[in-house]
Amino acid sequence: AFDKRGAEDLIDRALGRLRSEWEQKGRPFDLLSPYLSGEAGAPPLAATAAQLDVSLAAVKSAVHRLRKRLGELVREEVAATVGERCDEDEELEHLMQLLSK
C-alpha cells in the first residue's frame, strides 16, 4: 500500500507540474486532461475541438504533446526520487506495475 501511495503521489506531482506549465502558457489543461489516461469517460475529441473552436487534428496534436510531456515529467520525478542508486527504467516499470493494481 505504501509503494502504491508513493507512486500515486509521484504521478500527482508530475500532473501538478504539467498543469502549471500549461496554464502559464494559457493552454486549456482542464479540457484536455481527461484524455491523458486514455480511459473511457472522456468526451469525444470532436466535442472538445468544437468547444475550443479548433480542428480535430489540433486537439489530437495537443493531447499527444500533453501525454509526451507528462511522460517526461514522470521520468524526472522518478529520477529525483531514486537518485543514482538504481535504474530509472526499472523504477518506471515498477511504478507502472503498482499503478495497474
Side-chain angles (χ1 to χ4, degrees):
F2 176 77
D3 281 344
K4 184 169 183 173
R5 184 66 210 146
E8 290 168 347
D9 288 344
L10 186 142
I11 296 296
D12 287 345
R13 286 193 305 272
L15 280 169
R17 290 176 58 193
L18 183 61
R19 172 185 291 279
S20 179
E21 287 179 9
W22 274 61
E23 288 177 348
Q24 286 177 358
K25 295 177 182 178
R27 295 180 178 163
F29 182 82
D30 287 334
L31 290 174
L32 298 175
S33 63
Y35 304 106
L36 283 173
S37 67
E39 290 183 26
L45 287 168
T48 300
Q51 188 174 359
L52 293 171
D53 196 26
V54 298
S55 69
L56 179 58
V59 171
K60 288 180 179 181
S61 179
V63 169
H64 174 77
R65 287 191 312 272
L66 195 67
R67 286 178 177 161
K68 181 179 179 189
R69 183 63 182 143
L70 179 59
E72 292 167 353
L73 291 171
V74 167
R75 185 171 283 279
E76 288 176 15
E77 289 291 332
V78 167
T81 300
V82 299
E84 295 181 21
R85 61 178 198 247
C86 77
D87 182 31
E88 282 178 35
D89 291 330
E90 287 178 22
E91 194 63 25
L92 280 169
E93 183 177 328
H94 180 67
L95 173 79
M96 297 310 294
Q97 289 173 353
L98 288 170
L99 293 173
S100 67
K101 293 179 182 178

